[in-house]
Amino acid sequence: QVQLVESGPGLVKPSQTLSLTCTVSGGSITADNYNWIWIRQPPEKALEWMGAISWSGNTYYNPSVKSRISISRDTSKNQFTLQLNSVTPEDTAVYYCARDHLIVSTQRNGPWGPGTQVTVSS
């Protein structure tokens, strides 16, 4: 079955760029009609959809982070990545990658990664 795993640094300094990679196994990120999503959950807050990249490579971003976010993919490695610029302590969260038929979703409609804690602190 399809499995996803997030990787990246657990600690990022304020004003720097947060970069996470989601490695997908058991299925191709170019498979028709699937979207590959980044979601985060700050401490004691709800899940927040950050953005997605479709099977065809189109990208979609949450307006709340649109000026700071970029999602890309490496089809040769079956990975997709999240970059978030100019981070602040408010970007501290557990970050998840997921697959969904929907572009905007925080529901577990498909496989999710286990999540990775990212803390923004000097």
Side-chain angles (χ1 to χ4, degrees):
Q1 73 264 24
V2 174
Q3 294 184 319
L4 298 85
V5 179
E6 305 90 352
S7 60
L11 180 64
V12 183
K13 295 184 185 300
S15 81
Q16 292 189 342
T17 296
L18 181 165
S19 184
L20 297 175
T21 297
C22 183
T23 300
V24 179
S25 59
S28 173
I29 63 171
T30 61
D32 286 2
N33 297 323
Y34 285 117
N35 301 293
W36 305 89
I37 297 174
W38 286 100
I39 296 160
R40 67 181 179 182
Q41 186 166 30
E44 301 181 7
K45 293 186 178 180
L47 292 166
E48 176 185 27
W49 175 81
M50 299 190 70
I53 186 164
S54 73
W55 60 275
S56 60
N58 294 322
T59 53
Y60 308 87
Y61 301 130
N62 187 322
S64 70
V65 295
K66 189 173 183 179
S67 64
R68 301 192 292 131
I69 191 174
S70 177
I71 297 176
S72 60
R73 66 180 184 173
D74 185 335
T75 56
S76 68
K77 295 181 180 179
N78 216 38
Q79 295 175 332
F80 62 107
T81 62
L82 167 72
Q83 286 198 316
L84 187 65
N85 302 322
S86 304
V87 298
T88 73
E90 292 183 344
D91 294 309
T92 294
V94 178
Y95 285 75
Y96 299 94
C97 60
R99 187 190 77 174
D100 206 303
H101 283 291
L102 303 175
I103 293 170
V104 181
S105 176
T106 57
Q107 303 299 311
R108 290 183 180 261
N109 297 318
W112 284 43
T116 187
Q117 173 70 47
V118 177
T119 300
V120 179
S121 175
S122 56

